[in-house]
Amino acid sequence: MKFFTKEVQIALVAIAGIAVLFFGLSYLKGLSLFSNDNTYYIKFDNVSGLSASSPVYARGYRVGVVKDIVYDYEKASDIVAVIDLDKRMNLPRGTQAELESDMLGNIKINLTFPQDLSVMMAVGDTIFGTVDKGALGQVAEMIPAIEQMLPKLDSILVSLNTLLADPAIARSIHNVDQITGNLTTSTRELNVLMAQLNHEVPGMVTRANTVLDNTGELTGKLNELDLAATMAKVDETLENVHQMTEALNSDKGTLGLLMRDPALYENLNATMRSADSLLIDLREHPKRYVHFSVFGRK
């Protein structure tokens, strides 16, 4: 009896196909059936959709894969993720695992290491895991606060609409437009003034330099003067004026007597009045004082 009948051949081909399919699916999932990877366990409160074949990263480099997820239906306590890591990967004590999901919903495990790398964990130890909520999680946490802000925001918008509907706002904007135009005109005039100043400043500087040169020349001439002799002459002149003033204030001399003797002043006034009367009489009656005769007087 022949052993490799058509039925046996078909069965062997089916078994080989199933084996190839199994190993192919395992390879596509990232599982290595014949490797000697190190196995570790991670406890999570919530796996957030983590499944077998999810990748495990350390500092952005893929170092392993999730092999299985164990859930205790009776106690409903922590969920344990079984991971296989490359045998060359040594985990320091205090390593933590963090679940992270991207915008497309893909979930991965990131291993974070402590500062102390001297003490290593044993293969098969348990790692404590946390969940990184990501940007979407942070937005979800902000939703209650946003809901509380919505009534206040609506009130602010109503107040803003009321304020914008006030005609005074439109007038103020119109006034601001006019002020802006005035500022533009003032700026233009200021620019013209500055241009004129820039044009005239060199001449002003030249004149100022000329004045300074003249001042320096005058200062030089003043330095050349004999100030001591000049001051001596000034003192001598002042002394003469002082002596003249004392002579006028004393009773000696005509001017002093004239200034201090009232009788002399009255006599001079009387003499002046008599002379004035005499001149008036002489002008009115000249024949009393002067006689003219061609043939002489008998």
Side-chain angles (χ1 to χ4, degrees), residues 243-261:
Q243 292 177 1
M244 183 182 295
T245 304
E246 288 183 350
L248 291 175
N249 291 328
S250 65
D251 296 337
K252 299 178 181 180
T254 303
L255 292 177
L257 292 173
L258 181 61
M259 293 177 62
R260 292 183 172 276
D261 191 354

Side-chain angles (χ1 to χ4, degrees), residues 183-288:
L183 287 176
T184 303
T185 304
S186 300
T187 303
R188 189 182 303 109
E189 294 176 354
L190 182 60
N191 290 332
V192 174
L193 179 60
M194 291 300 296
Q196 295 177 355
L197 288 176
N198 291 332
H199 180 70
E200 295 177 358
V201 161
M204 296 173 62
V205 172
T206 303
R207 290 192 293 271
N209 291 331
T210 303
V211 172
L212 290 176
D213 293 338
N214 295 333
T215 303
E217 184 178 356
L218 178 60
T219 304
K221 292 181 178 179
L222 289 175
N223 291 329
E224 294 176 357
L225 293 177
D226 189 357
L227 295 179
T230 303
M231 293 303 296
K233 293 181 180 179
V234 171
D235 292 338
E236 184 179 356
T237 303
L238 292 176
E239 182 63 26
N240 293 333
V241 172
H242 179 67
Q243 292 177 1
M244 183 182 295
T245 304
E246 288 183 350
L248 291 175
N249 291 328
S250 65
D251 296 337
K252 299 178 181 180
T254 303
L255 292 177
L257 292 173
L258 181 61
M259 293 177 62
R260 292 183 172 276
D261 191 354
L264 180 58
Y265 175 75
E266 294 296 335
N267 292 334
L268 287 175
N269 283 336
T271 303
M272 292 299 293
R273 286 194 295 271
S274 299
D276 185 56
S277 299
L278 178 59
L279 290 174
I280 293 172
D281 187 63
L282 179 61
R283 185 172 59 253
E284 293 178 354
H285 306 91
K287 293 181 179 182
R288 293 180 182 179

Side-chain angles (χ1 to χ4, degrees), residues 36-38 61 85-91:
N36 54 352
D37 292 342
N38 295 329
Y61 182 78
L85 301 180
D86 192 304
K87 63 181 180 179
R88 296 171 296 178
M89 186 70 189
N90 295 321
L91 299 181

Side-chain angles (χ1 to χ4, degrees), residues 129-177:
T130 58
V131 178
D132 182 13
K133 297 180 181 179
L136 295 178
Q138 294 177 359
V139 171
E141 291 181 353
M142 293 174 61
I143 290 177
I146 294 174
E147 290 179 349
Q148 294 179 358
M149 291 175 60
L150 286 178
K152 298 180 180 179
L153 183 61
D154 183 62
S155 176
I156 292 173
L157 291 176
V158 171
S159 300
L160 183 60
N161 291 330
T162 303
L163 180 62
L164 293 177
D166 191 352
I169 298 297
R171 291 194 297 270
S172 299
I173 295 175
H174 181 68
N175 293 333
V176 169
D177 189 17

Side-chain angles (χ1 to χ4, degrees), residues 60-97:
Y61 182 78
R62 181 168 177 169
V63 295
V65 66
V66 176
K67 184 177 182 180
D68 192 12
I69 304 293
V70 179
Y71 181 74
D72 191 349
Y73 288 93
E74 295 181 357
K75 298 181 179 179
S77 57
D78 296 332
I79 302 174
V80 179
V82 182
I83 62 173
D84 285 344
L85 301 180
D86 192 304
K87 63 181 180 179
R88 296 171 296 178
M89 186 70 189
N90 295 321
L91 299 181
R93 189 173 300 277
T95 300
Q96 294 184 353

